[in-house]
Amino acid sequence: MKTFGKFFIGAVFGFFIVYAFLDLEFGVTILEIAYELTWILGGVSLILLVLAMIGMLQIKRKASSSLEGEEEDVRDKWQYQKFSDVSLAGNSSMIFSIITLSIVLVTNQEILLAIFASILVMLTGASSFVMPYLLKVMYPERDLPEASDKDYTKKLLASSDEGERHVMLEGLYYTFNSTNLLLVGAMIILTVYSVSSEHSQLFAIFIIGLILITINMQYILKIRNK
Amino acid sequence: MKTRLKELRARDGLNQTELAKRTKVSRQTISLIEREELMPSLLIAMRLSHIFDEPIDNIFIFKEEDLV
C-alpha cells in the first residue's frame, strides 16, 4: 500500500511537471549546436580514452612487481579498483565517440570531422579488446578465456568464483532496475523535446520502447527457464 | 553468521591474496567472507577448514536461531 501511495504521488507530480514542460519552447535545438557538440563530445571521448590507456599502463606496470604480505593485498585491491575505473573510462569513451560520429553524420558536417569521429570510434572500440588481456596480466594464475574465444562472456562468467558472482549479481540487478527507469525517463524527455522543439523523436521513442521490451523479455526468459 | 577467518589468517601469517590462492578463489571472495557479506559454499568452507586445520564450526559461528 505504501509503495502504491509513493507510485501514485510520483505519477501525479510527474504528470504536472511534464505538462508544464510541454508549454515550454526550446530556444535552441541540438541541430543548431551540433558543431560545438561534436568538438565537446569528441574531446571528452578522447580525454577518457587517454585516461583509460594511462590506467592500463599503470596496471601493467604494477602487476609485474612482486610483493608480499599486506602490500600484496593492497596492490590487488588497487588493481581491482583501477580495472573498474579503466573499464568505465573505456566504455564511456566508446559511447561518447559513437554519439560524436552520429552527430557528424546526421548533421552533414565536414568530411574531416567525419574521419576524426570514425577513427575515434575505431580506437575506443579497439581499447575494449585490451580488457581481457589486462585481466590475464592481473591474474596470470587464473584460467581466463581469450578475447577471441567463442562465448567469451559465458566462459568469463564460468571462470568467476562465488564471491565475484555475488558482487556482479548485486551490481547487475541494480543496473537492470535503473536501466528500466532511465529508459522510461528517456522516452518522457524525448516526448517533451519532440513537442516543444517540433522535431519529432518518435523513431527514437519507438527504438527505446523496443529495447525496454527486449531486455525485460531476456531477463524474464532467463530466470523463467531455470 | 560470524567468522574467525581474519583472526585465523593473522594466526597463520597469511595475507588475503595468499589465502585466496590456497582456497582457489579470488581475494574479493575472501574479503567478502571476512566482512560477513557472503556465506561461503560448503566446498570453500571445507577448504578453509583444511587450510587452518580447524573444524568448520570453529571458523564460522552460527547463532542458535540460525540453525533451528
Side-chain angles (χ1 to χ4, degrees):
Chain A
M1 198 64 196
K2 204 176 168 184
T3 313
F4 177 77
K6 277 184 188 170
F7 182 77
F8 182 74
I9 293 166
V12 170
F13 267 100
F15 172 78
F16 282 111
I17 289 167
V18 170
Y19 192 75
F21 267 108
L22 285 174
D23 263 0
L24 283 177
E25 278 188 23
F26 280 80
V28 183
T29 65
I30 299 268
L31 287 174
E32 290 164 50
I33 52 166
Y35 183 77
E36 290 80 1
L37 264 181
T38 303
W39 282 105
I40 293 169
L41 297 180
V44 171
S45 170
L46 196 63
I47 291 168
L48 286 171
L49 181 65
V50 170
L51 287 176
M53 286 168 86
I54 292 171
M56 285 175 193
L57 289 173
Q58 284 175 322
I59 289 174
K60 202 178 168 210
R61 203 179 313 132
K62 272 224 174 181
S64 57
S65 56
S66 60
L67 299 168
E68 280 181 358
E70 284 297 306
E71 282 182 332
E72 193 180 15
D73 285 351
V74 172
R75 191 261 308 269
D76 192 86
K77 201 176 173 186
W78 177 89
Q79 263 185 347
Y80 179 74
Q81 286 174 346
K82 197 76 186 174
F83 182 80
S84 307
D85 297 345
V86 167
S87 299
L88 179 64
N91 289 341
S92 308
S93 165
M94 188 161 69
I95 294 163
F96 277 118
S97 70
I98 294 170
I99 300 173
T100 308
L101 181 61
S102 303
I103 295 174
V104 172
L105 295 177
V106 170
T107 55
N108 277 325
Q109 292 185 46
E110 295 161 39
I111 190 79
L112 266 177
L113 271 181
I115 294 169
F116 160 75
S118 304
I119 292 171
L120 202 56
V121 170
M122 281 190 267
L123 283 176
T124 54
S127 79
S128 66
F129 285 100
V130 182
M131 301 314 281
Y133 162 75
L134 208 57
L135 269 179
K136 278 187 169 284
V137 169
M138 285 164 61
Y139 307 112
E141 70 284 357
R142 288 181 68 171
D143 184 25
L144 295 164
E146 298 288 340
S148 55
D149 276 1
K150 205 185 161 198
D151 294 330
Y152 172 80
T153 322
K154 216 173 183 178
K155 284 179 185 168
L156 186 67
L157 192 63
S159 67
S160 310
D161 65 35
E162 57 196 74
E164 288 168 327
R165 284 188 205 154
H166 172 83
V167 171
M168 278 193 270
L169 175 69
E170 270 188 7
L172 287 173
Y173 193 70
Y174 174 78
T175 309
F176 176 73
N177 284 329
S178 60
T179 303
N180 264 319
L181 271 173
L182 289 169
L183 286 180
V184 171
M187 287 167 94
I188 295 169
I189 291 168
L190 286 172
T191 308
V192 173
Y193 180 81
S194 296
V195 175
S196 308
S197 67
E198 292 177 4
H199 286 277
S200 168
Q201 306 293 319
L202 273 178
F203 185 68
I205 294 168
F206 178 70
I207 295 291
I208 292 177
L210 273 182
I211 292 171
L212 269 170
I213 291 166
T214 309
I215 59 170
N216 280 285
M217 230 164 74
Q218 268 182 338
Y219 176 71
I220 296 297
L221 288 177
K222 200 86 186 165
I223 57 166
R224 181 177 178 266
N225 295 338
K226 293 286 173 194
Chain B
M1 180 199 77
K2 295 270 169 207
T3 174
R4 291 178 57 225
L5 202 59
K6 197 173 179 180
E7 176 197 327
L8 293 168
R9 199 166 53 75
R11 184 195 72 186
D12 289 9
L14 289 170
N15 64 20
Q16 285 184 338
T17 312
E18 276 173 50
L19 180 59
K21 279 177 192 164
R22 286 199 198 182
T23 323
K24 293 174 188 157
V25 295
S26 62
R27 191 200 55 80
Q28 286 75 26
T29 299
I30 297 295
S31 172
L32 283 167
I33 298 170
E34 274 189 11
R35 284 185 274 136
E36 294 163 5
E37 287 178 29
L38 176 75
M39 197 182 290
S41 66
L42 188 57
L43 179 65
I44 292 179
M46 289 292 283
R47 283 182 190 155
L48 289 167
S49 161
H50 184 74
I51 291 164
F52 292 116
D53 197 20
E54 293 274 354
I56 291 178
D57 57 1
N58 239 0
I59 305 174
F60 302 103
I61 297 124
F62 290 91
K63 287 179 196 157
E64 195 58 37
E65 57 260 36
D66 291 333
L67 304 170
V68 288

